[in-house]
Amino acid sequence: MKKSKLLFISIILLLIFIIAILFILNFVKAKQKYSNLKKVAPYLYEITYNDYTKDDALETINDQEAFGCSSVRNGNFYGRNFDYIFNDVPEFIVKVKATKTRHASIGVANHMGLRESKIDSGEYDKQLELIPNATLDGINDSGVICSINVVPLEDVEPVTGTNPNGENLHMLFIPRFVLDNASSADEAIELLKSKNIYGDLKGKYYLHAMIADENKTYIVEFINNKVVAKEKKGNEQIMTNYYNNIEDYTEHSSGIERYNILKNYYDEASTFDGMWNLLKRVRFSNVYRYDNKQEFYSEMATQSLIKNQNSNEWKNMLNQLNQIKNNYWITIADNLRSQDNILFWHTTHNSTYDIKNRKLRITIQEDYNNYYEYYLKDVK
């Protein structure tokens, strides 16, 4: 009896040991996918990937809300602002190493499922494996750049899939796909046409993309279940949040305010610093301000929900926005970050790219007193 009991205990201990070993091996394997996780500044981290998880990529969509954004290209320089709710979601400088079948790239990702406090704790989180899938803008070793912005879903017919014979590709993952696989802007377009592109954000927004290399710029949109890619020549290579390939939009919606600023000051962006300054002009908190006039054009979800602009609800929203902005970065900003459904949006990151030199400058959370620069050649 004692022997059988001892044997049973031994088997249980052996199973526990095997499970522990498998857990450790799985943990080590996961950790090998990325390295050099480093905090650069509040809400900004660097992380390098030898490989990354694709199978669970759709997990990132569950927490993905709509975002604003402005993208612009002028000569050798390309820039984008990522506009989002004021909160404590961190940004990542994502460095992906080259393989025999993948380009090296550097870019910026934002993963809604992570928070700064969780990362700073040092605790392993599987979501860290998924960050490359959430790349919002970047450049690869062939000088191909891609960024995505939202566009209203109701402006076009539903996109159920652009190529039924192709492999599925959610719109959110277009930058990662392009950076990994395209050697030119032309090739990027052909590769996208070979995929079955589908998806939306929360059933309210689709996405469109600006794709460029040293010689060309395209704005790519998904209209009537087709990939519509038009090369943008000359000036005004600008993309905000209305369909560039559809001319039916209202005067004060979908980023028209930011488009007009980018257009008016476009010539300033003929240098690297000039592009950075142009993006600063269209930071979200600067474009949308209330100056005691009866107009407040905004892409915040709350505005579309409040139809009567003479109502107390509307006036209370404006008062709250003004209070937040008047105290911005001074008294209540840090407390707001941890709250949900904040009315105030701002530019969470500003990316400026030098295409020829494969260089990235990033400004985080509208802190224009500081910026951080990276070269793709340093991704090893």
Side-chain angles (χ1 to χ4, degrees):
M1 186 71 178
K2 290 184 178 179
K3 289 184 178 180
S4 61
K5 185 176 181 180
L6 182 62
L7 179 61
F8 176 76
I9 293 173
S10 297
I11 292 173
I12 294 298
L13 290 174
L14 179 61
L15 288 173
I16 293 173
F17 176 76
I18 292 172
I19 292 172
I21 292 296
L22 290 174
F23 177 81
I24 292 171
L25 289 175
N26 185 61
F27 177 80
V28 171
K29 181 180 179 182
K31 294 290 282 186
Q32 288 175 341
K33 290 184 178 180
Y34 61 87
S35 60
N36 303 325
L37 176 59
K38 174 186 175 184
K39 187 169 186 176
V40 179
Y43 310 105
L44 180 63
Y45 298 80
E46 296 176 20
I47 189 166
T48 301
Y49 288 84
N50 297 308
D51 197 5
Y52 60 90
T53 300
K54 292 183 178 179
D55 294 342
D56 298 324
L58 291 178
E59 290 180 20
T60 60
I61 296 175
N62 295 333
D63 296 313
Q64 184 67 63
E65 297 283 356
F67 43 82
C69 307
S70 305
S71 298
V72 59
R73 192 264 175 89
N74 185 332
N76 188 48
F77 308 107
Y78 186 110
R80 86 82 52 84
N81 283 348
F82 179 70
D83 303 323
Y84 190 63
I85 298 170
F86 187 78
N87 62 15
D88 57 353
V89 173
E91 312 279 326
F92 296 86
I93 302 295
V94 177
K95 304 173 182 179
V96 175
K97 296 182 180 181
T99 67
K100 291 181 179 179
T101 58
R102 183 180 68 213
H103 289 278
S105 64
I106 189 168
V108 186
N110 178 301
H111 194 300
M112 306 304 172
L114 288 167
R115 292 295 184 269
E116 184 182 51
S117 57
K118 181 68 176 292
I119 299 171
D120 289 347
S121 71
E123 181 182 351
Y124 169 73
D125 191 319
K126 184 177 175 61
Q127 301 298 314
L128 289 169
E129 297 180 34
L130 304 176
I131 288 173
N133 298 294
T135 299
L136 299 166
D137 54 85
I139 185 169
N140 72 14
D141 51 22
S142 288
V144 177
I145 287 186
C146 182
S147 62
I148 50 173
N149 300 358
V150 299
V151 281
L153 183 148
E154 62 266 21
D155 287 354
V156 295
E157 294 296 320
V159 178
T160 56
T162 58
N163 181 3
N165 297 319
E167 182 182 5
N168 286 343
L169 177 66
H170 193 283
M171 292 181 186
L172 185 62
F173 307 133
I174 286 173
R176 182 76 269 147
F177 174 73
V178 168
L179 296 175
D180 284 355
N181 297 287
S183 299
S184 68
D186 286 338
E187 184 181 15
I189 304 306
E190 294 307 309
L191 288 170
L192 289 176
K193 288 180 178 178
S194 73
K195 296 294 182 180
N196 188 42
I197 297 171
Y198 73 101
D200 57 64
L201 302 182
K202 296 286 186 178
K204 296 180 180 179
Y205 300 94
Y206 287 136
L207 295 163
H208 59 175
M210 183 180 282
I211 299 173
D213 57 22
E214 292 188 30
N215 302 306
K216 294 185 177 182
T217 306
Y218 290 93
I219 290 181
V220 185
E221 296 172 337
F222 310 99
I223 302 170
N224 298 327
N225 277 328
K226 294 182 179 179
V227 177
V228 180
K230 292 187 178 179
E231 184 181 355
K232 305 292 289 185
K233 298 181 179 180
N235 289 340
E236 296 182 26
Q237 298 177 19
I238 298 167
M239 182 178 78
T240 56
N241 303 114
Y242 65 87
Y243 286 88
N244 289 64
N245 299 324
I246 297 177
E247 297 302 326
D248 183 18
Y249 53 83
T250 58
E251 183 180 358
H252 294 291
S253 67
S254 303
I256 297 299
E257 296 94 337
R258 284 179 280 118
Y259 169 81
N260 286 331
I261 294 172
L262 291 167
K263 178 180 178 181
N264 290 339
Y265 295 96
Y266 182 85
D267 290 343
E268 292 183 358
S270 59
T271 65
F272 188 71
D273 287 336
M275 178 63 76
W276 181 76
N277 280 312
L278 177 62
L279 294 175
K280 183 178 177 181
R281 286 185 182 275
V282 290
R283 64 191 186 276
F284 201 94
S285 64
N286 183 55
V287 176
Y288 299 100
R289 59 185 184 274
Y290 182 66
D291 52 7
N292 296 319
K293 295 180 181 179
Q294 292 302 311
E295 54 185 24
F296 189 86
Y297 303 118
S298 172
E299 295 152 283
M300 292 179 298
T302 46
Q303 177 167 338
S304 63
L305 297 176
I306 302 175
K307 303 300 183 183
N308 182 4
Q309 297 186 9
N310 293 316
S311 66
N312 288 331
E313 186 180 10
W314 176 257
K315 293 175 182 177
N316 289 338
M317 188 190 81
L318 292 183
N319 288 335
Q320 184 175 351
L321 284 169
N322 286 320
Q323 184 179 22
I324 292 172
K325 292 180 180 181
N326 290 337
N327 292 281
Y328 184 49
W329 293 124
I330 300 174
T331 58
I332 59 176
D334 289 337
N335 293 330
L336 284 172
R337 286 190 186 278
S338 61
Q339 298 180 27
D340 293 325
N341 302 317
I342 297 302
L343 295 174
F344 183 45
W345 281 44
H346 73 161
T347 298
T348 63
H349 81 253
N350 162 326
S351 299
T352 305
Y353 292 90
D354 179 327
I355 301 176
K356 183 177 181 180
N357 293 303
R358 317 291 196 257
K359 176 183 175 182
L360 162 65
R361 174 188 289 179
I362 183 168
T363 298
I364 195 76
Q365 302 279 331
E366 294 195 3
D367 178 11
Y368 291 94
N369 292 319
N370 297 287
Y371 58 75
Y372 309 89
E373 296 186 345
Y374 300 89
Y375 287 87
L376 183 54
K377 64 184 180 182
D378 296 328
V379 178
K380 299 176 181 178

